[in-house]
Each structure stands twice: as C-alpha cells, then as structure tokens.
C-alpha cells in the first residue's frame, strides 16, 4: 500500500453529543506519538470538539447521522478531517464570521470556526447543501525543538 | 457539578466539572437557571478550578447566564481558570464584560 503519511486512523461514530469527548480524546491519544506539548494537545482537542459539535448541532440538527473522523500524521504535522452527511452550510464565509450563529436559541456562541482557525495552522471547509460538510485542519507540532532547547539549557547549566 | 449559595454575601457559586462541551452544557444549563432564579444572587460565580477542557459551548453557557443574572439584577464572575480555559475565555472577548475574581 502506498501512503505518503507516517500514520493514519479513521473512526466513524453517531452524531450524539457524548461522542464529542470521544472524538477529541481519540485524536489526542493518536497524536501522542508526536510528543506534543500540553498546549498543543489542548488546542487540537478544542478544534476537534468544535468541528464535531458543528456536525451534530448544525449538520444533523436533531437527526442521528454518521460523523467521519480521519487523522493523519506526516513528519511533525497533524492532518484532521471531520465530515458529515448533514444539511450543509449555506454561506461558508458568513458561518466563519466570529459571533455569527444560526442557532442563537441554543446559546451557540458563534465562535466555533474562529476557535478552529486560531488554534490550527490551516482550516478548510467544503460544503454542499443537502449533502454535507467537510472540515480539514492542519497543525504543525513544534514541541521537540522546545524540549531540545530546554535540554541544551540544562546541559549548559550543568557544565 | 456542585453549587452552593452564600446567603450573607448573596453569592451563588457553581463549581463546574472537568470538561465543558455541548454535551455537558445541555445537562447543566437548566439547573443553573433554576438556581439563579431561585436565589436571585447578587453575584453568580463560576469556579473553574476543576475544569481542564472547555470549548465554545462554555462561552455560550457563560453568556447565557450573564444575561439571566443581569436581568435579575446580579452579575456573573469567573474564578480559578486554568491555562487552556483562560485561552478560550480571552479569545472569545467575554473577558471584557465578565470579571475574573479571586476565590478560594
């Protein structure tokens, strides 16, 4: 099998609210092999949580459908794809605006995409009305360089 | 989540559980509102000391309770935020309207 990625996983789960935690914990466990910092893990978990919640609340609304989550690793970079076969987004640019929400009645803050965009290096959204939405996100893990710097500083001090 | 009301200070304190996402928010929202309406506190304090994860659902939760408390003549405060929670809080801009206080 030809694969340009170092590692890859795929899970599918129902659009139930208690799977938000499952999805972000699964991703956190999978990317642990890159030795990320706690902050990097927290950022990525939050972005995953936002995307999955969007699929549940907006994509499927009250219905139960399937959410697909793919996570890939290449070098020190994490690629995450979260997709649903829900109702789709009418206007992606508008949906990405901070504080914009179509579900104010559910107390949605309209910060989902803003959080994804600021916690990840790159976020792309593809959506077709009636067919579903796919969010693709990337994040480079920098942790090792910091750890190395720390190690070097410690060694110097010991010298 | 647990909550307690300090009558002498008219403070209602909510000590939130570890993870605040849409799932958790759906579970606790009504209970928070019931208690706010029952005690009509001067201060509603969200204690985040146990919270290690929060996403935008938590922001929606705080804003919603802020509106309710305001309407009833009280205010909302937050305390004991750890780094990941603080980051979301600051990014959302609600730190401009909701005060962070010291609380043991």
């Amino acid at each position: 099998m030809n694969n340009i990625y170092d590692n890859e996983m795929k899970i599918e789960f129902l659009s139930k609210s208690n799977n938000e935690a499952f999805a972000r914990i699964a991703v956190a466990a999978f990317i642990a092999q890159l030795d990320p910092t706690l902050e990097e893990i927290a950022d990525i978990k939050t972005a995953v949580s936002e995307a999955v919640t969007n699929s549940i609340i907006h994509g499927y609304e009250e219905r139960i459908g399937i959410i697909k989550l793919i996570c890939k690793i290449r070098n020190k970079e994490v690629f995450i794809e979260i997709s649903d076969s829900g109702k789709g987004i009418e206007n992606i640019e508008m949906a990405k605006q901070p504080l914009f929400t179509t579900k104010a009645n559910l107390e949605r803050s309209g910060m989902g995409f803003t959080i994804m965009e600021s916690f990840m290096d790159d976020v792309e959204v593809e959506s077709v009305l009636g067919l579903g939405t796919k969010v693709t996100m990337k994040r480079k893990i920098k942790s090792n360089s910091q750890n190395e710097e720390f190690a070097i500083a410690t060694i110097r001090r010991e010298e | 989540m647990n909550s307690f009301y300090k009558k002498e200070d008219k403070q209602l304190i909510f000590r939130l559980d570890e993870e605040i996402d849409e799932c958790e928010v759906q579970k606790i929202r009504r209970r928070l509102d019931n208690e706010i309406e029952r005690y009509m506190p001067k201060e509603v304090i969200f204690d985040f000391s146990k919270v290690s994860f929060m996403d935008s659902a938590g922001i929606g939760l705080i804003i919603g309770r802020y509106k309710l408390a305001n309407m009833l003549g009280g205010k909302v405060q937050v305390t004991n935020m750890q780094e990941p929670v603080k980051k979301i809080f600051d990014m959302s801009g609600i730190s401009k309207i909701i005060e962070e206080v010291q609380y043991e």
Side-chain angles (χ1 to χ4, degrees), chain A residues 4-153:
Chain A
I4 57 161
Y5 294 96
D6 301 331
N7 204 351
E8 182 173 340
M9 66 95 150
K10 180 157 115 185
I11 46 177
E12 293 188 0
F13 49 88
L14 296 184
S15 58
K16 294 186 166 197
S17 202
N18 52 359
N19 283 333
E20 291 153 15
F22 166 68
R24 63 179 180 259
I25 290 164
V27 169
F30 184 71
I31 64 168
Q33 56 196 295
L34 293 180
D35 195 19
T37 60
L38 288 177
E39 190 182 4
E40 285 165 334
I41 296 173
D43 288 355
I44 293 169
K45 275 172 79 178
T46 312
V48 169
S49 199
E50 298 295 348
V52 171
T53 306
N54 274 351
S55 288
I56 295 172
I57 301 271
H58 298 283
Y60 291 115
E61 298 189 301
E62 302 300 309
R63 295 184 302 119
I64 291 294
I66 288 177
I67 297 172
K68 257 188 232 171
L69 188 162
I70 298 172
C71 186
K72 299 172 186 175
I73 286 169
R74 187 172 60 209
N75 297 324
K76 294 288 283 177
E77 200 162 13
V78 179
F79 301 80
I80 297 169
E81 195 181 298
I82 293 165
S83 55
D84 63 61
S85 310
K87 70 168 190 177
I89 302 171
E90 211 173 305
N91 185 334
I92 294 174
E93 283 319 304
M94 203 180 266
K96 282 180 166 180
Q97 291 299 312
L99 306 176
F100 175 85
T101 182
T102 53
K103 299 234 185 286
N105 56 325
L106 296 180
E107 289 190 351
R108 299 297 302 155
S109 62
M111 293 300 291
F113 279 120
T114 310
I115 288 176
M116 285 182 241
E117 283 176 338
S118 47
F119 284 11
M120 304 297 277
D121 299 330
D122 187 46
V123 177
E124 274 167 42
V125 185
E126 293 163 60
S127 190
V128 180
L129 273 182
L131 286 182
T133 300
K134 180 161 93 179
V135 175
T136 317
M137 309 187 275
K138 272 195 269 187
R139 172 78 188 251
K140 191 117 188 152
I141 300 296
K142 300 186 186 115
S143 53
N144 271 358
S145 58
Q146 279 169 1
N147 292 346
E148 277 160 25
E149 274 167 32
F150 178 73
I152 291 166

Side-chain angles (χ1 to χ4, degrees), chain B residues 10 25 29 31 45-46 61 66 71 74 95:
Chain B
K10 291 197 167 176
V25 163
R29 188 185 287 134
R31 186 177 149 196
I45 303 176
F46 285 99
L61 182 80
Y66 168 82
M71 210 171 70
S95 43

